[in-house]
Amino acid sequence: MRALRMLLIVVVVLGGLFVVADRVAVHFAENKAADKVKTTENLATTPDVSIKGFPFLTQAASGELDDVEIGIKDYEADTGTGTGGGPKTIRIDDLKADMKGVKFSGDYSSATAATATGTATIAYDELLKAAKSEPTQLFPGVHAQVVGLSDGGNGKIKVDIKVTVAGATQTYPVLSSVTVDGDTVKVHADNLPKLVVDLADSRIRAVTDFQQAIHQLPGGVKLDSVQAAKNGVEITVKGSNVKLAG
């Protein structure tokens, strides 16, 4: 019995040491991966990297990790130019991506995920930059401009349109739908405002409707869907053979 008790103690101690070694190793790997992603994506701050699953050491020995989560606080995505010569980049907040089947090199210099899904937010003040920044003449003496975006409820965006007629201004709220078309986020008015003067739909939609391309996201993930929310539009992304580093 004493020998068995001693054996059990040794097993427990060795198991504890293995757990400690495993956690130290995973912490080291997370830091190395975070630094590599920061360099590869040219990020201003170091992202959060969390390697899931236990034990890590057996995953590392195989050269493939089951599940890796990456969090980027602020990401400046390339856009080209938006409507009316808009911004070259757009800030994407709280990008969180879940990577599955991540194969990596021994020195962590390269890593590729079989699949990736994630979520992020584009704040309304950022998306507003895609709208025309200057008032548009709809008719002689009549100008209109998008001056605000906010949550309209039920997955809609409330677009505030300021209309100026002969020097007098009035703001009209317009509920709009937001959709994804390829790499572009599009805002489309559900119903056009009844203005002081009657205008062809195409004229007023030149103001109410706008879009913003997002050409480049981390690792090559793509836009999947978008929905209006309290603090901005929430996007989902997905991809396959996503290159994290190298």
Side-chain angles (χ1 to χ4, degrees):
M1 289 295 294
R2 183 177 181 182
L4 179 59
R5 187 180 301 111
M6 289 297 297
L7 178 60
L8 289 175
I9 292 173
V10 170
V11 169
V12 170
V13 170
L14 290 177
L17 291 175
F18 175 78
V19 171
V20 171
D22 191 81
R23 295 302 89 191
V24 169
V26 76
H27 182 68
F28 173 79
E30 287 171 344
N31 289 339
K32 290 281 288 184
D35 289 340
K36 192 63 182 179
V37 172
K38 179 183 179 181
T39 300
T40 300
E41 297 295 340
N42 194 29
L43 303 176
T45 59
T46 303
D48 293 325
V49 174
S50 179
I51 299 173
K52 304 298 182 180
F54 179 83
F56 163 74
L57 290 173
T58 56
Q59 295 183 69
S62 71
E64 181 174 340
L65 304 176
D66 297 334
D67 189 356
V68 178
E69 293 182 357
I70 296 179
I72 301 174
K73 190 66 176 176
D74 298 312
Y75 181 79
E76 295 291 335
D78 177 52
T79 63
T81 55
T83 303
K88 291 286 187 180
T89 62
I90 188 168
R91 188 186 76 250
I92 297 178
D93 300 325
D94 297 323
L95 175 61
K96 295 182 176 67
D98 187 12
M99 313 288 183
K100 302 290 188 182
V102 180
K103 294 183 178 180
F104 61 95
S105 61
D107 60 356
Y108 304 103
S109 62
S110 64
T112 303
T115 62
T117 57
T119 60
T121 300
I122 301 175
Y124 285 121
D125 62 340
E126 282 292 302
L127 189 59
L128 180 61
K129 296 175 184 177
K132 291 182 178 179
S133 59
E134 298 296 329
T136 298
Q137 180 174 292
L138 303 177
F139 196 77
V142 180
H143 294 79
Q145 179 184 9
V146 176
V147 294
L149 302 177
S150 59
D151 180 20
N154 297 318
K156 302 291 184 180
I157 295 178
K158 183 169 78 73
V159 180
D160 292 323
I161 310 294
K162 184 176 74 173
V163 178
T164 303
V165 180
T169 63
Q170 184 171 344
T171 300
Y172 297 85
V174 177
L175 286 181
S176 299
S177 298
V178 57
T179 57
V180 165
D181 183 6
D183 63 356
T184 302
V185 175
K186 294 185 174 182
V187 178
H188 179 82
D190 294 347
N191 296 291
L192 298 177
K194 183 66 175 177
L195 305 181
V196 177
V197 293
D198 291 328
L199 298 170
D201 282 6
S202 60
R203 289 193 180 183
I204 187 63
R205 283 197 180 279
V207 178
T208 62
D209 296 3
F210 58 94
Q211 62 187 44
Q212 179 62 71
I214 301 176
H215 295 306
Q216 185 178 355
L217 289 169
V221 294
K222 302 294 184 182
L223 293 175
D224 184 42
S225 65
V226 63
Q227 179 173 299
K230 181 179 179 181
N231 297 317
V233 292
E234 295 179 347
I235 63 173
T236 61
V237 298
K238 66 178 181 180
S240 57
N241 295 319
V242 176
K243 199 168 187 179
L244 303 178

